[in-house]
Amino acid sequence: MPRAARIALVCFFVLLAVPAATVRAATRMPVGFFDDPSFRWSPDRAQNLAAAAAAGATVIHTTANWASMAPTRPAHPADADDPAYRLGDLDELVRESARYGLRVMIDVTGTPKWANGGKTQNHMPTHLTDFAVFVHMLAVRYNGHNAGKGEVSLWSIWNEPNEDLFLTPQYSGKKIVSPANYAKLVKTAYAAIKSANPWAKIAIGETSPEGRDKPLKGAPTTVSPGMFARLLAKQPGLKFDAWAHHPYPTVLTGIPLQKVKYPNVTLSQLPAFETELKKDFHREVPIWITEYGHQTKPANPKGVTLAQQASYATTALNYARADPDVQMFIWFTFRDSTGNPWKSGLEGTTGGAKPAFFKFDALAHLIDGTTVSAAANKPMHAVSVFVPFLTFYDPLDSLVGVTYTVTDKGKLVARGEPQGNIQADSSVSFTPTFTPVKGHTYSIVATVNDSNGNVQTRMVVIVTTT
């Protein structure tokens, strides 16, 4: 499909979802990309966002690096307009993503030198209150109530805290200490975000796929994701909505379902990880795959072939789709660029599509959306439809219309035309008027429209439970 035609398709695709607590299966889930060089800093960033949305993306994962955004201490750190802050490119991404029907997920990470005694950004802040003020400032700026700033209700906390490259120390002597330190960051950020936007969903972890679980002289110190989660669960008072993970193969040319020994976690070990998370945290823990990809040659001479990347992308997406605990899939990256050493883009540096682009495009449109569980033989509960495209034109609380149909294997079950208001997470809720029957799976197609004729349409799948 020509690039221009792919971009034109963006107007037809939007994200549907429901609160995380109601989701039980992931035959449909949000799909997206993580690629700050292409979406924030490239001269072609608008074109890249449009092409990503046309390829089936409905979520953009981005990083809010505290060290980069506040290289000097702000005089008024709670004020996003303090001249010490460098927020322009993030502002633009959040605002412009909605234009293309894309939600934004922000991962907050990295400590500036002024906040940790002049150390590198992988060190903890000296005072957690400094971190709290920064995170709260961002969450307020993007809570949807500031005209022209956009809305963010998907968040995660720190990048790969189980590696000393991103969080140090990992050990004190032979004792693992990084989970306890990370718990302090989680508690601080969670409270700061929720106080600014109670509708926000917050993931923790952002874990890399492997670690050693013991210090090795002369080597980087790491902790396996399974061990990291187990020790983190022992920290009291943790609150979160999902676990974010990066289930890459542990070798550059590894296959998607590479076998590794738990507590390392590639795609093949996700079921074991999910079982342990449930045991450790005493509840179901949704998984957000917030980074995954395969680098290609010749851009990376040690990468896989273009044909292999296409095959591996298909395998990974289908594997994630079949996992009922996975509720998000983010590919890293969208487009190869000179500013990014990682060469796993679905497009090359000139914007030409690799074979993997077409495989991803076809699958993303089948996978993206939401699967919701509903009790059999009881009236259907409310469904929330996310409408970031409409928020680009309409403020929160705007009244919008919904036209929906419910089908069961192609047979019409119900239809309706309710109204609703755009909520603080860019959602609109409505209650389909039908009673699910045990053993049946239903498809809901909903079109949401505002008073100016802007529309978004998407599918949600309803799976019945006893």
Side-chain angles (χ1 to χ4, degrees):
M1 184 180 296
R3 183 181 178 91
R6 299 199 308 268
I7 295 173
L9 287 174
V10 68
C11 296
F12 299 99
F13 301 106
V14 297
L15 177 64
L16 261 186
V18 295
T22 68
V23 177
R24 289 294 180 271
T27 55
R28 283 186 174 266
M29 60 183 171
V31 177
F33 296 102
F34 177 20
D35 190 349
D36 283 345
S38 294
F39 299 140
R40 285 169 64 175
W41 309 319
S42 168
D44 299 325
R45 55 191 179 275
Q47 185 181 23
N48 291 336
L49 280 173
T58 47
V59 177
I60 297 297
H61 173 190
T62 191
T63 297
N65 187 296
W66 184 20
S68 299
M69 292 181 167
T72 59
R73 182 187 290 273
H76 305 284
D79 182 1
D81 294 321
D82 187 289
Y85 283 129
R86 299 176 180 178
L87 303 176
D89 57 312
L90 183 59
D91 281 350
E92 181 181 318
L93 176 68
V94 173
R95 181 183 67 249
E96 292 301 306
S97 289
R99 183 194 295 271
Y100 304 107
L102 296 160
R103 299 178 78 193
V104 173
M105 189 200 85
I106 292 179
D107 174 33
V108 185
T109 193
T111 310
K113 290 184 176 181
W114 58 262
N116 64 11
K119 301 174 184 176
T120 52
Q121 63 180 268
N122 57 343
H123 285 80
M124 290 281 291
T126 304
H127 304 289
L128 287 169
T129 52
D130 289 330
F131 184 53
V133 171
F134 174 72
V135 175
H136 186 261
M137 177 275 296
L138 287 179
V140 169
R141 189 170 185 82
Y142 304 127
N143 67 6
H145 294 285
N146 298 293
K149 292 297 186 291
E151 180 275 323
V152 175
S153 54
L154 298 171
W155 297 81
S156 62
I157 303 166
W158 221 261
N159 181 60
E160 299 191 347
N162 59 320
E163 295 195 359
D164 66 353
L165 179 64
F166 299 103
L167 184 63
T168 193
Q170 292 287 315
Y171 295 82
S172 176
K174 294 184 179 181
K175 181 182 178 181
I176 299 173
V177 297
S178 54
N181 286 333
Y182 180 64
K184 297 175 183 178
L185 296 170
V186 167
K187 294 175 186 178
T188 300
Y190 185 94
I193 294 168
K194 284 289 189 177
S195 66
N197 183 358
W199 294 73
K201 298 299 180 185
I202 303 164
I204 64 173
E206 290 286 0
T207 36
S208 69
E210 62 177 332
R212 293 189 184 88
D213 294 342
K214 61 181 179 181
L216 183 63
K217 186 176 181 179
T221 54
T222 59
V223 177
S224 68
M227 177 63 72
F228 188 87
R230 186 183 310 160
L231 296 177
L232 184 63
K234 297 180 182 297
Q235 303 299 314
L238 280 182
K239 297 179 181 179
F240 63 97
D241 298 295
W243 187 280
H245 185 58
H246 309 162
Y248 295 104
T250 60
V251 294
L252 195 59
T253 57
I255 61 174
L257 300 183
Q258 175 200 14
K259 301 296 184 182
V260 295
K261 186 177 180 180
Y262 192 84
N264 291 327
V265 181
T266 57
L267 280 175
S268 65
Q269 285 288 7
L270 274 180
F273 190 38
E274 292 154 2
T275 297
E276 290 302 310
L277 287 173
K278 182 178 181 179
K279 185 186 303 183
D280 293 339
F281 289 100
H282 309 291
R283 65 180 178 90
E284 297 284 349
V285 178
I287 298 292
W288 294 359
I289 296 177
T290 51
E291 276 191 42
Y292 185 84
H294 292 270
Q295 297 193 68
T296 59
K297 52 187 179 183
N300 185 330
K302 297 182 179 180
V304 301
T305 67
L306 296 180
Q308 285 174 324
Q309 186 196 42
S311 174
Y312 293 173
T314 301
T315 298
L317 279 164
N318 279 325
Y319 188 84
R321 179 188 190 187
D323 187 328
D325 289 325
V326 175
Q327 296 179 9
M328 184 186 296
F329 186 100
I330 302 293
W331 184 273
F332 182 79
T333 60
F334 177 69
R335 180 177 178 178
D336 292 345
S337 64
T338 56
N340 186 356
W342 195 268
K343 305 302 182 184
S344 59
L346 301 185
E347 292 187 346
T349 55
T350 61
K354 299 178 185 179
F357 181 101
F358 303 104
K359 296 291 187 180
F360 189 97
D361 184 318
L363 274 172
H365 287 115
L366 292 174
I367 296 171
D368 186 78
T370 306
T371 302
V372 180
S373 65
N377 304 317
K378 294 182 179 180
M380 186 62 198
H381 55 67
V383 173
S384 295
V385 181
F386 289 92
V387 288
F389 178 66
L390 298 188
T391 66
F392 187 78
Y393 299 97
D394 304 295
L396 297 185
D397 299 325
S398 294
L399 184 66
V400 294
V402 180
T403 301
Y404 74 86
T405 59
V406 183
T407 58
D408 179 4
K409 295 182 179 179
K411 181 180 178 181
L412 182 66
V413 174
R415 61 159 54 104
E417 296 185 354
Q419 292 182 317
N421 298 91
I422 301 176
Q423 304 295 335
D425 59 350
S426 298
S427 71
V428 176
S429 295
F430 66 96
T431 302
T433 56
F434 79 107
T435 300
V437 177
K438 180 182 178 180
H440 288 239
T441 299
Y442 302 87
S443 297
I444 299 178
V445 177
T447 298
V448 184
N449 62 278
D450 67 10
S451 58
N452 297 312
N454 298 304
V455 299
Q456 292 191 325
T457 301
R458 207 56 173 162
M459 177 183 284
V460 97
V461 173
I462 308 296
V463 178
T464 56
T465 61
T466 56

